[in-house]
């Protein structure tokens, strides 16, 4: 099956610093990538959807200036958490789909996640 | 606004039992529904994807059904094993996650 990788798998940083998380589709072209956040014992919450070459679409309540998403190529999307604070500590998961939008015939493939801890 | 609910929230069963996990969604106008498993602290593994035009999908001991009109999907796990222990999530239209069912299968 299709493989999506994330780097780093975990990161610890000081409050006020910025952290970049990479999401790569290894064996397919990801037209659309999604970024999710998961707090302990909760389900995944969609943060934003990005199509290659376009600006990301953010879900309500997600600050676009704080969570910068770049999807510059068909195999790479990055999420940068700017000026991170302890409340940003979470499990961040990306997914990638070869289709654009809500195609009925394509699955989305998830990365293994990145655990961010902000001290 | 689409809402996805899973029942039960948690389930603990002995090995060998057949299981039924339920997923309900409020808006029946969906494109697809997907079932995932998530192991603690890890990402998601896709189990089954059901398109809106399909009624069910099967993979090994897993069978997922979809009834759009009633807003329901069921994941059936036959002859459960300890390795099936995980959180099971249903996802509507790739974007909206259910609340999850934490499954524990004990030997």
């Amino acid at each position: 099956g299709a493989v999506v990788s994330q780097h780093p798998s975990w990161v610890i940083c000081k409050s006020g610093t910025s952290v970049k998380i990479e999401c790569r589709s290894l064996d397919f072209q990801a037209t659309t990538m999604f970024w999710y956040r998961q707090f302990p014992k909760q389900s995944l919450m969609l943060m934003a959807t990005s199509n290659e070459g376009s600006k990301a679409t953010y879900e309500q309540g997600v600050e676009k200036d704080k969570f910068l998403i770049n999807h510059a190529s068909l195999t790479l999307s990055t999420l940068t958490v700017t000026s991170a604070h302890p409340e940003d500590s979470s499990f961040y998961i990306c997914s990638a789909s070869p289709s654009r939008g809500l195609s009925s015939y394509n699955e989305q493939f998830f990365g293994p996640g990145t655990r961010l801890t902000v001290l | 606004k689409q809402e996805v609910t899973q029942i039960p929230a948690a389930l603990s069963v002995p090995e060998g039992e057949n299981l039924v996990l339920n997923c309900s969604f409020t808006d029946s106008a969906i494109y697809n529904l997907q079932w995932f498993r998530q192991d603690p602290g890890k990402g998601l593994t896709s189990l089954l994807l059901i398109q809106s035009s399909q009624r069910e999908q099967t993979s090994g001991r897993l069978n997922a059904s979809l009834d759009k009109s009633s807003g329901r999907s069921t994941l059936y796990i036959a002859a459960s094993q300890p390795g099936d222990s995980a959180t099971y999530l249903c996802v509507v239209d790739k974007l909206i996650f259910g609340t999850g069912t934490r499954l524990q299968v004990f030997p």
Side-chain angles (χ1 to χ4, degrees):
Chain A
V3 179
V4 175
S5 69
Q6 278 185 243
H7 178 80
S9 56
W10 60 269
V11 57
I12 301 173
C13 69
K14 293 182 178 179
S15 183
T17 60
S18 295
V19 176
K20 179 184 285 187
I21 302 171
E22 293 185 348
C23 177
R24 292 181 185 274
S25 58
L26 300 185
D27 51 5
F28 69 100
Q29 293 187 326
T31 304
T32 307
M33 286 187 169
F34 306 89
W35 286 96
Y36 297 85
R37 180 166 52 183
Q38 184 179 33
F39 292 107
K41 296 187 178 180
Q42 295 185 24
S43 194
L44 280 72
M45 296 297 294
L46 179 67
M47 298 175 66
T49 302
S50 72
N51 292 305
E52 184 267 339
S54 303
K55 289 185 178 180
T57 301
Y58 289 80
E59 295 300 300
Q60 190 173 9
V62 178
E63 300 174 57
K64 61 179 67 177
D65 293 331
K66 181 170 183 61
F67 299 99
L68 303 178
I69 292 173
N70 184 285
H71 190 172
S73 78
L74 284 171
T75 59
L76 174 65
S77 176
T78 60
L79 167 68
T80 301
V81 183
T82 62
S83 187
H85 289 94
E87 58 265 30
D88 299 323
S89 298
S90 186
F91 194 54
Y92 292 86
I93 300 179
C94 73
S95 71
S97 172
S99 66
R100 183 179 293 268
L102 298 175
S103 167
S104 293
Y105 299 103
N106 285 290
E107 297 181 48
Q108 61 174 336
F109 303 95
F110 284 80
T114 296
R115 183 161 302 284
L116 170 64
T117 301
V118 184
L119 302 177
Chain B
K1 179 183 176 183
Q2 178 74 273
E3 293 184 1
V4 183
T5 306
Q6 290 183 244
I7 295 174
L11 186 62
S12 182
V13 300
E15 181 177 8
E17 280 204 5
N18 299 323
L19 309 172
V20 175
L21 308 183
N22 297 292
C23 173
S24 300
F25 44 96
T26 54
D27 186 347
S28 62
I30 67 171
Y31 290 93
N32 54 56
L33 185 144
Q34 196 165 359
W35 283 92
F36 291 87
R37 66 174 281 169
Q38 184 179 29
D39 294 282
K42 296 188 178 180
L44 282 75
T45 302
S46 177
L47 299 174
L48 292 164
L49 170 67
I50 310 177
Q51 309 295 349
S52 60
S53 59
Q54 298 173 327
R55 299 282 291 182
E56 66 177 344
Q57 285 285 338
T58 299
S59 176
R61 295 183 293 108
L62 304 179
N63 175 278
S65 65
L66 176 63
D67 184 345
K68 281 181 56 179
S69 61
S70 65
R72 294 180 188 174
S73 177
T74 298
L75 178 66
Y76 178 81
I77 303 176
S80 59
Q81 302 171 359
D84 295 330
S85 299
T87 295
Y88 289 80
L89 298 164
C90 68
V91 187
V92 169
D93 291 341
K94 306 181 182 179
L95 300 177
I96 305 168
F97 277 75
T99 48
T101 294
R102 292 190 305 279
L103 173 64
Q104 178 72 38
V105 181
F106 53 89

